[in-house]
Amino acid sequence: MIKAASIRFALLAAILPAAGGATFPATAGATLPSVVHEKAVLESSRSSVPAGAVLPLDGRDFGAGESYVLRLVGALREYDLGEVEADAEGLFSIELAIPGSVTPGAYQVVAVAPDGDVAARLDLTVLEAEAVAPEGADERPAGEVVHEAAPRVARADEMPIERSRSGLEWGVIGLLIGGAGGLGLGLLRAGR
Amino acid sequence: MGTRTDPKKGWLEERAALDALDYPVPKAASRWTYMLGGLTASFIVMLVLTGLYLAQFYNPSPIGAHDSVLYILTRAPLGDWVRSLHYWSAAGAVVMITAHLVHVFWRRSYKRPRELTWWAGVGMAGLLFLLIVTGSALRYDQEGFEALAHFVAGGELTGTLGAFFTEGFTRSAPLLARIFGLHTSLLPLLLVGLMGLHFWLIRHLGIHADDEEREVFRTHAIRLVGVSLLAFALVGLLAVVAPEDLGYPPVAGVEITKPFWPVLWVYGLENLLGAWGMILGPVLLFGFLVAVPLLDRRPDDTPGRHGWLGWLALLVGAAVLVLWLYGAFGPARQHLGM
């Protein structure tokens, strides 16, 4: 079953655009849910934090004495959050600083083991700093500079989007269009 | 007693009982004008298939929706193309169902005994309209957010009837997630159900054609599949050369975009009547379409002989066209008290 999943991940990795910008350091499979390896647990009292604030984060069932890289992983962006070391019982408890530069959105805090496997994940919503400043202000360490995002201006135009396709994707598109066109003409002739 | 087999039949033909498709239909069924309904169904199939794919990557939460659409556009395998296919298939379905409605109206095919067939078709057109406006909201860019704000405003205007579309309906799920649920489950289910009823009625009541010549349905079906595949190739090409874009993340409190083109006539009406336009326009248009079989009291079913109803339909059509032009080329206005 694991072998089948690996093959599937490898196939997906092959057709993912090369310029997709995926900077996740682990294997291609690690960017996808890999429940087989996720025995550890990340927990927090908060499901959302403003950018620039601090997230109380607890971990359990991690490898005793092992270090884990913490990353904030969203659909489009990833951020390094530093390293954490589990104690002899596989526990840790930290105050995790969410960088003020994080774009608001839906993320996961991901703990990556030394071998590159994802050990645990936690869903987290990062909010705009200024939108929740009064609440978040209590939780920021003294002296920390608050990230104040510039107010967004509504725009009616379209975003510039860098569209890129791999050779395999172009091949699939060409095959589908050409195949449908050819078969369609053939059927029309056959139906005469 | 063993099953009787026919050695002349092919493997699939025998097992799938394909000879059940060999019932006679008028040869006119394979004319272009009579294929418009079948082509609409083909576009709906494309919408379902591409929609299923897109749903694997879409995040229907307000905080993650825009990023997930950007993800589809830039990282999901074939995501950009499939999303554009979805867009162009929707455009194709709107064009085909409109042309089909006009053709059926012209031929007065809604006359007895085909009233139910007509109403099922009008119901499908209404559902397609709702699918388009709910789908627009899922973009969750400025245009999508304004579409969502229209749902809220429409819900508030219509009181209890529209309570589902208000933010206060429930605190457990955001409106975007509920609109996503409507767009991907309830509306498609209703559409497929009505399509089934429509086809069943056509199978048993036949099409309204003067043609005495007959051919087997299988021949017609082969032609329809052929035309549908060509239509797929066409929208596939359009998806490559004219891909659908995405706007910037939304900002609340303003109304600066115009909707997807099939909805522009409603936008034009909103320019004249304010937010009530989005309720009155569709209610009047679809109300008229529903009433058509009841209004046409002439005993014969000769195509084009509608009497005063024809003039009324022309007036309705002209009004929609003028409103559409006004919506498309008129000023962008704020309709909601956002």
Side-chain angles (χ1 to χ4, degrees):
Chain A
M1 190 164 167
I2 291 172
K3 195 177 175 187
S6 304
I7 292 168
R8 222 167 36 238
F9 293 159
L11 281 172
L12 270 175
I15 56 174
L16 277 168
T23 55
F24 203 69
T27 59
T31 56
L32 297 163
S34 53
V35 288
V36 175
H37 298 292
E38 292 181 33
K39 290 174 183 166
V41 177
L42 284 175
E43 290 173 321
S44 176
S45 56
R46 304 189 62 171
S47 59
S48 64
V49 286
V54 168
L55 176 77
L57 186 70
D58 299 316
R60 59 180 165 86
D61 299 331
F62 283 84
E66 284 198 16
S67 290
Y68 293 84
V69 173
L70 294 177
R71 297 185 65 82
L72 189 63
V73 180
L76 302 169
R77 304 166 201 92
E78 292 183 23
Y79 301 89
D80 272 316
L81 299 176
E83 282 196 23
V84 67
E85 190 177 317
D87 64 16
E89 293 175 344
L91 304 170
F92 65 81
S93 188
I94 57 168
E95 296 282 295
L96 189 63
I98 303 298
S101 59
V102 171
T103 306
Y107 290 89
Q108 285 187 327
V109 177
V110 175
V112 184
D115 64 359
D117 279 344
V118 172
R121 303 166 187 265
L122 174 73
D123 288 330
L124 181 71
T125 300
V126 177
L127 307 169
E128 282 193 46
E130 61 170 10
V132 283
E135 187 191 336
D138 297 338
E139 298 171 31
R140 279 190 294 273
E144 184 178 331
V145 177
V146 180
H147 169 71
E148 294 289 349
R152 279 210 314 265
V153 179
R155 296 182 64 164
D157 54 336
E158 309 290 355
M159 285 181 84
I161 293 166
E162 281 185 32
R163 300 170 195 270
S164 62
R165 291 192 185 106
S166 65
L168 189 60
E169 285 180 303
W170 276 116
V172 170
I173 292 170
L175 201 67
L176 286 172
I177 293 176
L183 189 59
L185 283 174
L187 286 175
L188 278 183
R189 281 190 186 164
R192 268 186 197 163
Chain B
M1 195 172 144
T3 308
R4 193 174 296 170
T5 58
D6 184 347
K8 288 183 209 157
K9 286 184 181 174
W11 189 93
L12 185 66
E13 176 132 11
E14 185 178 356
R15 283 155 185 83
L18 289 181
D19 49 4
L21 297 175
D22 290 340
Y23 59 88
V25 295
K27 214 167 178 179
S30 292
R31 281 190 215 141
W32 284 100
T33 44
Y34 283 88
M35 288 222 197
L36 296 169
L39 271 172
T40 307
S42 301
F43 278 120
I44 288 171
V45 170
M46 288 182 220
L47 282 168
V48 170
L49 294 178
T50 51
L52 279 172
Y53 186 77
L54 295 175
Q56 309 312 310
F57 302 99
Y58 184 70
N59 179 354
S61 71
I63 198 79
H66 191 270
D67 270 4
S68 69
V69 179
L70 261 180
Y71 181 92
I72 288 168
L73 285 173
T74 56
R75 304 194 186 181
L78 295 170
D80 176 29
W81 186 64
V82 174
R83 179 171 177 264
S84 296
L85 261 183
H86 197 69
Y87 168 87
W88 282 109
S89 300
V94 170
V95 170
M96 289 302 144
I97 204 167
T98 306
H100 182 48
L101 263 172
V102 170
H103 178 244
V104 170
F105 178 83
W106 169 255
R107 290 205 50 84
R108 298 175 71 209
S109 306
Y110 49 77
K111 295 287 289 180
R112 186 180 174 187
R114 297 188 181 84
E115 296 95 326
L116 263 184
T117 319
W118 168 265
W119 285 326
V122 171
M124 280 193 278
L127 287 169
L128 258 182
F129 181 81
L130 282 174
L131 279 160
I132 279 170
V133 288
T134 50
S136 295
L138 300 185
R139 301 163 58 102
Y140 215 67
D141 55 2
Q142 191 61 37
E143 182 189 326
F145 189 80
E146 289 174 18
L148 212 58
H150 274 71
F151 277 114
V152 175
E156 286 168 355
L157 281 176
T158 48
T160 312
L161 266 181
F164 175 84
F165 295 110
T166 59
E167 294 279 11
F169 179 77
T170 175
R171 293 168 61 180
S172 61
L175 179 61
L176 181 69
R178 287 185 287 119
I179 294 288
F180 176 71
L182 262 187
H183 185 79
T184 56
S185 59
L186 181 64
L187 295 178
L189 274 175
L190 288 173
L191 186 68
V192 170
L194 278 184
M195 208 153 80
L197 173 67
H198 199 69
F199 288 161
W200 191 81
L201 291 169
I202 291 169
R203 167 72 182 90
H204 293 283
L205 300 175
I207 62 167
H208 181 222
D210 307 324
D211 201 345
E212 293 295 324
E213 274 193 86
R214 292 284 186 270
E215 65 182 8
V216 290
F217 175 76
R218 194 196 303 222
T219 308
H220 165 66
I222 287 172
R223 285 193 192 124
L224 181 59
V225 171
V227 173
S228 300
L229 285 169
L230 286 177
F232 171 78
L234 178 67
V235 292
L237 272 178
L238 282 170
V240 171
V241 299
E244 170 61 349
D245 284 319
L246 179 70
Y248 286 88
V251 171
V254 290
E255 195 179 345
I256 55 171
T257 66
K258 291 184 178 181
F260 187 24
W261 65 262
V263 193
L264 278 171
W265 63 279
V266 180
Y267 184 85
L269 196 59
E270 278 187 59
N271 269 358
L272 298 174
L273 304 179
W276 271 107
M278 73 177 145
I279 312 279
L280 284 177
V283 165
L284 287 176
L285 177 65
F286 286 100
F288 168 72
L289 292 172
V290 167
V292 160
L294 309 173
L295 296 174
D296 190 345
R297 310 306 297 175
R298 295 166 76 99
D300 65 300
D301 63 355
T302 314
R305 291 177 59 101
H306 301 83
W308 64 270
L309 182 62
W311 291 106
L312 180 61
L314 213 57
L315 193 69
V316 171
V320 170
L321 183 65
V322 168
L323 286 170
W324 190 91
L325 290 169
Y326 181 46
F329 302 108
R333 285 191 183 151
Q334 179 114 4
H335 305 129
L336 311 177
M338 294 194 295

